[in-house]
Amino acid sequence: MTPETIEGYGVRLRPCHLADVPDMVAGCTDPEIRRFMPLLPDPYDADAARLWIDEGAPAAWAAGGAAYTIADPATDRLLGSIGLTRLSAERATYEIGYWVGAAARGRGVATAATRLLTERAFAAGAARLELLTRTENVASQRIALACGYRYEGVRRAAGADGDGVRQDLIAWVRLADDPPGPVARLLPDLPDGRLTDGVVTLRPVEPADTDALYRLHSLPEVVANRVPPVAPERAALARRCRLVASRWLAGEAADLAILDAATGAVVGGCALFYDEPATGQAMIGYSLLPEARGRGLAARTVRLVAGWAFGVGVSRLWAGTRPDNVASQRVLERAGFRREGLLRGRLPGPDGVRVDSVVYGRLATDEN
């Protein structure tokens, strides 16, 4: 690629120049940008911006990559920055990265710039582009999907904070022969962000739910049905709550908080795990706090989740219970699931003993 100006999708990509310095400083000192780009110089001042323009950007081009200012086509004013890093010349593989200033967010600027540079890179001979995001950077993950990048997995400890703490990165990849357009999600967002029947409400788990869910998953009867049957550490559960949106976007799981629709209080948790996307099969699990039991909320929850799952393409739902968990079996039967059999020694139990699992299933074609 060569440092020429390109335009499309409502943005202009052009080489950096000295008039960009004030807006570069404003962007690179923005706490939101620095949260996900911790290796930027600190402090980031006009000298740092000029150093990038005079040396950093030319070096990126010289190494076979690219370094563009994202500019407003009407004013030519900087909105952000985007570039390519060549990872392998032989494999024609590049990494794409960007940032967008606060004033330009929410306008589709990052998506437009990523789409434009992706197309230009493939036209120039790239075979594979990688977009790496922090696990908590949900906005960038949505941009990746919108630009045709597919979830490829987690690169453990591939990134680092400014203090040297290693961070996982999620790899989103697009190939030159991938079809254009957004990637269809296995697990779309809930309609209006929630499901409800007027008695129970389900919404994605949030970090603020950590205390309620830690209490739930620490109950002896809930621990007995966990896999493995060990109470969670609070830090691990807090991390799970932080990563709910990321796992949802990746199509791995829909982690839901169960709320009493009348009070809005969290009374339990439910998760849909897309364990076999190739066959259209997903697994469901659920549990309630003691004060919410005996009111039919679990069956309502399972029916709501099943209706949504079948509506977004899941063909088969299954759930497993311990043979002695009669209450959970009754919930599944009330929600339209059928007992399918017993899997001997399927689950790890306490002290190394294996535990049987009773399997229930429901098909999209089953009558409600």
Side-chain angles (χ1 to χ4, degrees):
M1 294 183 62
T2 56
E4 58 186 355
T5 297
I6 53 177
E7 289 192 25
Y9 305 113
V11 296
R12 172 181 296 158
L13 305 187
R14 60 161 173 78
C16 314
H17 52 61
L18 291 175
D20 295 331
V21 168
D23 290 323
M24 285 181 65
V25 172
C28 293
T29 55
D30 181 343
E32 183 66 14
I33 290 175
R34 297 198 67 88
R35 184 160 73 98
F36 296 117
M37 299 179 67
L39 300 183
L40 285 170
D42 188 17
Y44 196 99
D45 54 18
D47 288 338
R50 283 190 289 267
L51 184 64
W52 168 253
I53 294 169
D54 293 339
E55 300 183 15
W61 289 105
Y68 283 108
T69 285
I70 306 171
D72 184 327
T75 65
D76 201 43
R77 185 167 179 176
L78 179 146
L79 303 174
S81 179
I82 191 167
L84 295 170
T85 300
R86 184 162 67 177
L87 302 177
S88 171
E90 307 86 63
R91 298 183 180 90
T93 301
Y94 298 78
E95 179 184 344
I96 189 168
Y98 54 82
W99 62 262
V100 171
R105 291 181 204 144
R107 294 163 43 189
V109 169
T111 300
T114 301
R115 183 176 292 128
L116 183 59
L117 185 53
T118 295
E119 292 177 358
R120 177 53 61 97
F122 286 141
R128 171 185 167 94
L129 296 180
E130 300 182 0
L131 197 165
L132 304 181
T133 70
R134 294 274 292 271
T135 54
E136 296 174 39
N137 191 347
V138 175
S140 273
Q141 293 165 37
R142 289 185 179 276
I143 289 167
L145 287 164
C147 293
Y149 286 72
R150 301 182 185 182
Y151 173 79
E152 194 167 83
V154 176
R155 294 190 178 172
R156 295 183 303 143
D161 281 342
D163 56 7
V165 176
R166 305 301 300 182
Q167 298 286 338
D168 292 346
L169 296 177
I170 301 178
W172 304 85
V173 173
R174 183 166 172 182
L175 306 181
D177 57 357
D178 280 343
V183 173
R185 289 173 52 187
L186 289 174
L187 296 173
D189 295 332
L190 299 180
D192 300 320
R194 58 187 54 217
L195 303 172
T196 187
D197 64 359
V199 176
V200 67
T201 296
L202 309 178
R203 60 156 172 77
V205 166
E206 302 169 352
D209 299 325
T210 298
D211 287 340
L213 294 182
Y214 180 66
R215 176 188 165 212
L216 172 68
H217 288 283
S218 298
L219 294 169
E221 66 273 24
V222 176
V223 171
N225 290 283
R226 286 174 57 87
V227 181
V230 177
E233 295 183 358
R234 191 184 186 287
L237 192 58
R239 184 174 188 275
R240 171 180 165 178
C241 291
R242 291 197 306 271
L243 299 184
V244 165
S246 179
R247 296 184 67 206
W248 200 308
L249 287 171
E252 294 178 348
D255 217 341
L256 298 158
I258 305 173
L259 279 61
D260 183 318
T263 66
V266 175
V267 296
C270 178
L272 180 83
F273 301 94
Y274 217 142
D275 59 333
E276 283 190 13
T279 65
Q281 175 179 277
M283 179 184 75
I284 189 170
Y286 49 86
S287 51
L288 291 174
L289 289 165
E291 60 267 29
R293 297 172 191 165
R295 297 162 49 192
L297 301 186
R300 288 176 176 273
T301 293
V302 175
R303 282 194 289 267
L304 280 171
V305 174
W308 171 73
F310 292 142
V312 300
V314 174
S315 298
R316 167 182 160 80
L317 284 174
W318 74 277
T321 77
R322 292 165 60 105
D324 59 355
N325 192 349
V326 177
S328 188
Q329 294 167 27
R330 288 175 177 167
V331 165
L332 292 167
E333 290 166 356
R334 287 198 295 270
F337 283 67
R338 302 178 189 178
R339 178 171 172 145
E340 296 182 340
L342 178 74
L343 296 180
R344 294 183 303 127
R346 177 179 176 270
L347 303 174
D351 302 321
V353 177
R354 303 295 299 184
V355 178
D356 296 343
S357 177
V358 181
V359 176
Y360 282 76
R362 181 176 167 184
L363 305 181
T365 53
D366 287 344
E367 292 185 6
N368 191 353

